[in-house]
């Protein structure tokens, strides 16, 4: 194993699951469309946009872990390859969860917008 592979593997495996340095954002609290004011809805929209931006950064961090795990899995002992594969799988699962979470937040906010419009026609 060359020095680059050792360094890559240590970056991936240096922390539990290789993703400890990647911290996902908390989903925002969304306004209740049936009873919120326009200002509440605008604040909700801002919170959703901030969440989406933070989630993009989080997914970018996970992409780096995934790429490093892929690279580390190319060389090394069977134990190193297994550890890299585990790190890859965990980071990939976290990435997919982040995508789903973002879709869920956006979907919930869209529901609240429809409810706001129904409660405040015209």
């Amino acid at each position: 194993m060359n020095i680059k592979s050792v360094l890559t593997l240590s970056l991936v495996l240096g922390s539990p699951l290789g993703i400890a340095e990647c911290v996902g954002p908390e989903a925002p609290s969304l306004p209740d469309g049936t009873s919120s004011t326009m200002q509440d809805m605008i604040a909700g929209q801002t919170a959703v946009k901030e969440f989406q931006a933070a989630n993009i950064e989080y997914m970018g961090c996970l992409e780096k872990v995934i790429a490093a795990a892929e690279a580390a899995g190319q060389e090394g002992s069977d134990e190193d390859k297994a550890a890299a594969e585990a790190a890859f799988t965990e980071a990939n699962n976290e990435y997919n969860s982040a995508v789903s979470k973002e879709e869920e937040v956006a979907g919930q906010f869209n529901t609240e917008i429809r409810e706001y419009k129904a409660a405040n026609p015209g």
Side-chain angles (χ1 to χ4, degrees), residues 10-24 58 61-62 65 87 90-91 94:
S10 68
L11 286 173
V12 173
L13 304 177
S15 57
L17 305 176
I19 60 172
E21 66 278 356
C22 301
V23 179
Y58 173 59
C61 180
L62 292 172
V65 173
E90 182 66 21
E94 287 294 319

Side-chain angles (χ1 to χ4, degrees), residues 34-103:
T34 60
S35 61
S36 293
T37 65
M38 175 62 86
Q39 291 78 17
D40 294 335
M41 297 304 292
I42 292 170
Q45 181 184 37
T46 299
V48 169
K49 287 181 179 182
E50 289 171 354
F51 167 75
Q52 289 172 322
N55 205 43
I56 288 170
E57 286 184 31
Y58 173 59
M59 291 187 301
C61 180
L62 292 172
E63 287 170 353
K64 291 176 186 173
V65 173
I66 290 167
E70 283 179 320
Q74 302 293 323
E75 299 181 27
S77 68
D78 287 344
E79 185 176 304
D80 291 343
K81 288 179 182 179
E85 183 177 329
F88 172 87
T89 299
E90 182 66 21
N92 196 52
N93 289 343
E94 287 294 319
Y95 186 93
N96 291 336
S97 292
V99 170
S100 295
K101 188 176 183 181
E102 187 170 337
E103 289 172 350

